[in-house]
Amino acid sequence: MFKGLQPILYGGREVWPLVEGGKGVSATNHASSGAWAAAGGIGTVSAVNADSYDPEGRIIPQIYNGMSRRDRHEELIQYAIDGAVAQVQRAYDMASGKGAININVLWEMGGAQRVLHGVLERTKGLVTGVTCGAGMPYKLSEIAASYGVNYLPIISSARAFSALWKRAYSKAAEWLAAVVYEDPWLAGGHNGLSNAEDPRAPQDPYPRVAALRQTMRDNGIADSVPIVMAGGVWRLDEWENWIDNPELGQIVFQFGTRPLLTQESPIPPEWKARLMTLEEGDVLLHRFSPTGFYSSAVRNPFLRNLEARSHRQVAFTKEPLGDHHFELDVGVGRKRGYWVTKGDLQHAREWFAAGYNEALKTPDETLIFVTTEEKNQIRHDQAECMGCLSQCSFSSWADNEKNSTGRLADPRSFCIQKTLQDIAHGGPVENNLMFAGHAAFRFKTDPFYSNGFVPTVKQLVDRILTGA
């Protein structure tokens, strides 16, 4: 029999040690997070370009009118602040004094610090804590502390937390409410897999979390400061040895994928239906994101197209060199001076004959072959960039004085803002990026979801508390 959970004290209130993972764009909003808090847990509003509303309660479309990327970037920041404030206010009202409301931001999103300041300034007394990952958020502690708000950094290794602690967090230790360990091999969305770690060789989270706890102890952080286990958590009876474990200290569990399939979840019905059909292995850990980070999403036609696009790739030199002494004669129009190997010349001719008749340069001295339609779409999306990231490999935007990374825009990636906004607001699920954790296949096999049952958030939280 499952030993059960005990409430913890968070933000001056007893709550269940259950966190709803924040998922942007608009995959967690006031409806899901407010309901999660009302059920006694810690609900998380995604503050990543969240929806705002007109006086009649209709979602305001995020339309960009600026002529330059910088102008559109400024519009994006205002949309982000207004949307997150609207979501927090509604979530707080829904919670009715129960649980807690956090917000989640990506440190590498465009204008992250400005958005944080803008949201926290306008939601004083409503937000209990800020979770933040996707980068090394050194200034998170300083910003959160300046508003009297807790911070919960998202990291994937003890080493990453140690660096953050030594550089910044030790100066605002009293506002560190928890450390979120996000398993880079199991969690959905962007993660912190490092170049030293093999994406094809998952590591057991237990020793990694134990190492994190030891690092926290070495820096004088009490065991009562929780570690939040995020990624791969489905049934708590499978994690029973983590509960009340002296080696690990206080553990809290985060659920990111399961809350997608609830009555209150804001994702469209087609997305919910697709989740219930997934098989084991249908979620792919990949590196196509323009952030440069690894991320996990459903391997649908959208992702398969990106895989195929990168497969149709040849390396070139600008002059005959070594095996590269065959001049490319397809896909480059009248341009000369692309020297490839004999094998790659043959591949290029085959792709050209199959309709992939446009060669696009990448930043890595390679060419990819795409259709004319695909080329036009890529160039259009790059031109329409609104600066949603601090640095974007796809468009070469960077939030700096030059508004550029200084590198060639990479056609092997995609506009992440465009696709996440589209799928969250009813766009085709097979032709958009569909983030999901690697346990998402369990929707199909878990008897709780038999006959297409979609629970309320309260029913889901109650189920989780039984260990199932």
Side-chain angles (χ1 to χ4, degrees):
M1 180 179 290
F2 178 57
K3 69 172 68 171
L5 294 175
Q6 297 300 317
I8 62 169
L9 198 63
Y10 178 61
R13 181 179 298 158
E14 276 199 349
V15 300
W16 291 117
L18 303 175
V19 177
E20 174 202 26
K23 299 171 287 296
V25 172
S26 298
T28 51
N29 70 356
H30 71 277
S32 58
S33 56
W36 193 274
I42 302 171
T44 307
V45 166
S46 170
V48 182
N49 291 100
D51 290 328
S52 51
Y53 305 92
D54 66 17
E56 281 73 47
R58 295 171 299 205
I59 293 174
I60 297 173
Q62 295 189 13
I63 298 170
Y64 297 88
N65 299 308
M67 296 301 292
S68 71
R69 289 182 174 187
R70 175 56 62 179
D71 290 342
R72 295 193 292 273
H73 176 71
E74 293 300 318
E75 292 178 85
L76 176 131
I77 288 175
Q78 195 58 55
Y79 277 133
I81 294 171
D82 291 345
V85 169
Q87 297 299 332
V88 167
Q89 291 170 338
R90 289 176 174 224
Y92 185 84
D93 290 344
M94 280 188 64
S96 300
K98 300 175 183 175
I101 298 295
N102 284 351
I103 62 172
N104 179 64
V105 296
L106 303 179
W107 194 245
E108 295 300 332
M109 73 183 191
Q113 295 182 51
R114 291 172 62 190
V115 171
L116 258 182
H117 278 293
V119 175
L120 294 177
E121 179 65 37
R122 291 168 55 186
T123 57
K124 291 178 179 178
L126 308 184
V127 174
T128 305
V130 181
T131 58
C132 183
M136 291 292 279
Y138 291 109
K139 292 192 176 182
L140 172 64
S141 54
E142 176 187 331
I143 295 171
S146 71
Y147 294 94
V149 170
N150 297 299
Y151 65 100
L152 304 84
I154 302 171
I155 51 86
S156 292
S157 69
R159 182 179 179 183
F161 177 74
S162 180
L164 290 166
W165 178 262
K166 290 175 181 176
R167 179 166 171 178
Y169 294 175
S170 59
K171 301 180 182 72
E174 67 272 26
W175 295 104
L176 176 68
V179 179
V180 182
Y181 171 78
E182 185 178 63
D183 190 295
W185 291 277
L186 295 175
H190 292 105
N191 62 64
L193 194 69
S194 72
N195 291 330
E197 293 163 327
D198 187 346
R200 296 161 297 183
Q203 295 181 22
D204 181 355
Y206 187 97
R208 293 170 67 91
V209 171
L212 172 59
R213 176 59 74 189
Q214 189 57 52
T215 296
M216 293 169 68
R217 288 172 179 150
D218 292 345
N219 287 287
I221 301 170
D223 279 11
S224 57
V225 176
I227 294 174
V228 181
M229 177 60 211
V233 181
W234 192 271
R235 297 174 58 104
L236 289 187
D237 58 8
E238 298 169 343
W239 300 80
E240 196 154 11
N241 65 317
W242 288 54
I243 301 168
D244 303 325
N245 184 327
E247 185 177 18
L248 300 180
Q250 179 66 57
I251 293 291
V252 168
F253 296 96
Q254 178 168 302
F255 293 81
T257 298
R258 287 191 79 172
L260 286 171
L261 195 57
T262 62
Q263 296 289 340
E264 294 90 344
S265 168
I267 67 172
E270 294 78 13
W271 189 348
K272 293 180 182 181
R274 183 71 179 93
L275 288 172
M276 301 185 86
T277 68
L278 295 176
E279 304 282 353
E280 188 167 7
D282 279 354
V283 173
L284 177 70
L285 178 61
H286 66 89
R287 208 171 188 178
F288 295 116
S289 170
T291 61
F293 297 123
Y294 280 95
S295 64
S296 291
V298 175
R299 195 177 178 218
N300 60 4
F302 178 86
L303 267 191
R304 290 179 185 274
N305 179 56
L306 290 170
E307 290 180 282
R309 191 188 295 176
S310 282
H311 176 72
R312 296 189 303 272
Q313 184 170 192
V314 298
F316 68 88
T317 56
K318 296 176 182 177
E319 57 186 35
L321 190 66
D323 292 340
H324 291 245
H325 56 265
F326 295 85
E327 190 168 20
L328 188 64
D329 57 6
V330 292
V332 293
R334 297 181 179 179
K335 296 177 182 178
R336 315 304 294 175
Y338 294 101
W339 298 88
V340 298
T341 66
K342 182 178 182 180
D344 280 346
L345 177 61
Q346 183 61 37
H347 288 315
R349 287 172 174 172
E350 291 171 356
W351 297 328
F352 186 86
Y356 301 102
N357 56 338
E358 301 279 0
L360 299 180
K361 286 177 67 174
T362 79
D364 300 318
E365 300 293 298
T366 65
L367 296 164
I368 63 166
F369 282 77
V370 298
T371 65
T372 300
E373 181 183 13
E374 197 170 15
K375 173 192 172 182
N376 292 339
Q377 188 64 63
I378 289 169
R379 294 300 187 223
H380 176 269
D381 289 347
Q382 289 171 332
E384 294 293 306
C385 172
M386 72 293 288
C388 75
L389 301 173
S390 62
Q391 295 188 74
C392 174
S393 65
F394 176 66
S395 68
S396 77
W397 154 269
D399 189 5
N400 57 28
E401 290 183 1
K402 295 183 178 180
N403 299 329
S404 173
T405 61
R407 286 171 58 83
L408 189 68
D410 195 338
R412 295 168 296 188
S413 188
F414 56 94
C415 177
I416 196 164
Q417 181 74 200
K418 173 188 173 183
T419 187
L420 291 181
Q421 289 284 1
D422 194 41
I423 192 170
H425 297 98
V429 296
E430 296 300 330
N431 297 320
N432 278 301
L433 182 67
M434 190 193 309
F435 280 143
H438 288 259
F441 72 93
R442 298 182 68 168
F443 282 123
K444 188 173 182 178
T445 58
D446 190 327
F448 185 54
Y449 302 96
S450 295
N451 301 314
F453 175 66
V454 177
T456 64
V457 166
K458 179 68 165 62
Q459 288 172 323
L460 175 59
V461 170
D462 288 347
R463 173 78 170 185
I464 289 169
L465 288 170
T466 70

